[in-house]
Amino acid sequence: MKETSTPVAGSDDGLIRHGTPLFRQANLALFAAGIATFGLLYCVQPLMPEFSKEFGVSAATSALSLSLTTGVLAFAMLFAGAVSDACGRKLVMTVSLLSSALLVLLSALVPGWASLLVLRTLLGLSLSGLPAVAMTWLSEEMHPDSIGLGMGLYISGNAIGGMGGRLVTGVLADFFDWRVGVLVVAGIGLASALMFWRLLPPSRHFERQPLEMRALLSRFAGVFRDAGLPWMFVEGFLLLGAFVTVYNYIGYRLLAAPYNLSQAVVGLIFSVYLIGTFSSAWMGHLAGRLGRRRVLWTTFALMLAGVGMTALHPLVLVVGGVVAVTFGFFGGHSIVSSWVGRRAGAAKAQASSLYLFAYYMGSSLAGACGGLFYAALGWNGVAAFIGAMVLAGLLIAWRLYFLQPLPGPPSPGTEPPLP
């Protein structure tokens, strides 16, 4: 896993471009990493009603099985980028994936609620070495005209992993036991980690930086001097906060009257995650051609419409609303995350860490708060809470439309916006 600075064969500037064998190899590796990361992270989401029954906890307490993980993950990612600066991108990501799969394996075997929460908390720490570093790797190694598609394909792996983890545990919990589903997800995570290790090309533009606290704090501070990056961090918070809250509590609604769906059927509804595999790649590529500022606001508008649909009564409209929220979320995340890497300059690792800190804090805080709205007001209260977050994201996207472009040759869609 030695990382060098040798130019990539077939690329005159050493950057990976779409349409090349190295692009396909890199994205297959990161696709596998996304499957592992999000399958391991979100496999407990459809099991929250099962946890409520088996361990006698409320919906809000059951949500801690995910909120604790994402909360620790958010803080740990602030330092994961710095560790990868010193130790190397590929090494940190590989260790992260393997240790996370082992922790999920152990979580299927523990007897009590407290021990399950301890392992889920440790999972947040171990997983932190993948998401922020993967974003940094893509920003360093991909050509600017390919990073939108590359980021989109990586996020599509996230979508497959998130869907697969939820679907496997949701269905197997109905036919066998939730522990069987978690064991299967852990096995998939181990296989994906090994695939990632074998396929990911070494870094070609990585410059090792020692772990010096003063220099690290300086790079973090520099990120906040950019006019757009702090707003993009807020967008990450709102995107995942809204998305996770939908999926945390929609299962409670559909298992109850008047729908009375089975756990297996509710698990199958999570297959709409597949739309994210298309949305992230397509919207990322579209933003690369038309400009991120011109496309981002449409993802929030679609999510807002979807949230409104989930508040209606017919089941087909509720599911259609979940589809719209899913499509908009993955498209928005693909656009914002690639935009962060482009604006960060030499502080890519720190910008990626801060973006993902905000992103996963959205999951942790909003996901937990949603349980309070559900307990007090039912699904309509949850939908109003989510709708407020998405509306705020839409207003920020409009502000980012007028963001001053970076100096140098313009990217697509970054010419001065119309008055």
Side-chain angles (χ1 to χ4, degrees):
M1 282 181 276
K2 182 181 179 181
E3 299 185 73
T4 69
S5 57
T6 306
V8 176
S11 177
D12 55 0
D13 54 9
L15 295 169
I16 300 173
R17 301 171 185 264
H18 64 83
T20 64
L22 202 61
F23 181 87
R24 291 188 289 272
Q25 181 182 333
N27 278 283
L28 185 57
L30 288 167
F31 186 83
I35 288 176
T37 302
F38 283 76
L40 298 170
L41 178 60
Y42 290 112
C43 65
V44 297
Q45 201 167 39
L47 301 177
M48 290 176 186
E50 292 291 314
F51 294 156
S52 293
K53 289 190 292 184
E54 180 168 334
F55 300 110
V57 297
S58 68
T61 303
S62 182
L64 289 174
S65 59
L66 180 59
S67 295
L68 282 174
T69 310
T70 53
V72 172
L73 177 63
F75 280 101
M77 280 194 299
L78 291 175
F79 306 97
V83 173
S84 76
D85 282 344
C87 301
R89 311 293 188 214
K90 185 172 181 178
L91 175 63
V92 169
M93 290 189 283
T94 302
V95 171
S96 171
L97 287 175
L98 289 172
S99 59
S100 298
L102 291 174
L103 283 170
V104 172
L105 185 67
L106 290 174
S107 71
L109 307 176
V110 295
W113 179 242
S115 52
L116 176 64
L117 289 185
V118 168
L119 286 173
R120 292 293 301 178
T121 301
L122 292 174
L123 178 66
L125 183 63
S126 66
L127 272 178
S128 65
L130 191 285
V133 181
M135 280 183 62
T136 305
W137 191 94
L138 280 161
S139 298
E140 288 176 342
E141 305 301 326
M142 293 284 177
H143 191 275
D145 68 6
S146 302
I147 190 174
L149 179 58
M151 192 73 76
L153 291 171
Y154 162 61
I155 292 172
S156 72
N158 299 348
I160 291 286
M163 181 275 293
R166 291 168 168 95
L167 184 61
V168 167
T169 54
V171 172
L172 291 181
D174 208 31
F175 290 100
F176 300 99
D177 181 79
W178 67 265
R179 298 176 190 273
V180 174
V182 173
L183 282 171
V184 171
V185 170
I188 295 171
L190 282 170
S192 298
L194 292 172
M195 182 177 176
F196 170 83
W197 172 61
R198 293 293 301 273
L199 288 178
L200 188 73
S203 296
R204 305 291 181 173
H205 297 81
F206 169 73
E207 295 183 6
R208 195 176 302 276
Q209 301 180 46
L211 281 171
E212 296 179 359
M213 186 56 66
R214 182 177 297 179
L216 178 61
L217 292 176
S218 176
R219 291 195 295 272
F220 272 119
V223 168
F224 286 97
R225 287 194 285 269
D226 182 85
L229 284 172
W231 290 110
M232 295 175 197
F233 302 156
V234 177
E235 291 288 63
F237 180 97
L238 296 170
L239 278 166
L240 193 61
F243 179 71
V244 164
T245 305
V246 168
Y247 276 89
N248 273 3
Y249 302 103
I250 197 69
Y252 285 95
R253 184 187 187 197
L254 297 178
L255 288 167
Y259 305 108
N260 296 313
L261 300 181
S262 69
Q263 182 68 54
V265 173
V266 171
L268 287 171
I269 289 174
F270 286 101
S271 64
V272 302
Y273 242 64
L274 283 171
I275 198 72
T277 65
F278 167 75
S279 169
S280 57
W282 183 70
M283 294 293 280
H285 191 54
L286 185 67
R289 291 193 297 110
L290 301 181
R292 298 171 184 87
R293 66 190 68 231
R294 292 177 173 171
V295 181
L296 178 60
W297 70 270
T298 64
T299 67
F300 283 97
L302 183 60
M303 288 181 72
L304 190 61
V307 171
M309 290 171 65
T310 65
L312 302 176
H313 182 74
L315 180 60
V316 65
L317 293 181
V318 174
V319 175
V322 174
V323 171
V325 169
T326 303
F327 191 101
F329 162 72
F330 278 104
H333 177 41
S334 176
I335 292 168
V336 180
S337 56
S338 63
W339 203 350
V340 166
R342 172 153 179 80
R343 288 195 69 93
K348 287 181 172 61
Q350 287 67 46
S352 296
S353 295
L354 286 166
Y355 171 73
L356 289 169
F357 168 77
Y359 182 75
Y360 285 108
M361 284 304 295
S363 170
S364 184
L365 296 179
C369 288
L372 303 178
F373 282 91
Y374 186 82
L377 301 169
W379 180 258
N380 286 341
V382 176
F385 173 58
I386 299 166
M389 286 192 290
V390 175
L391 181 59
L394 180 60
L395 294 175
I396 293 172
W398 180 245
R399 179 187 178 94
L400 289 172
Y401 183 84
F402 296 95
L403 179 65
Q404 184 69 27
L406 291 171
S411 296
T414 58
E415 55 269 18
L418 296 175

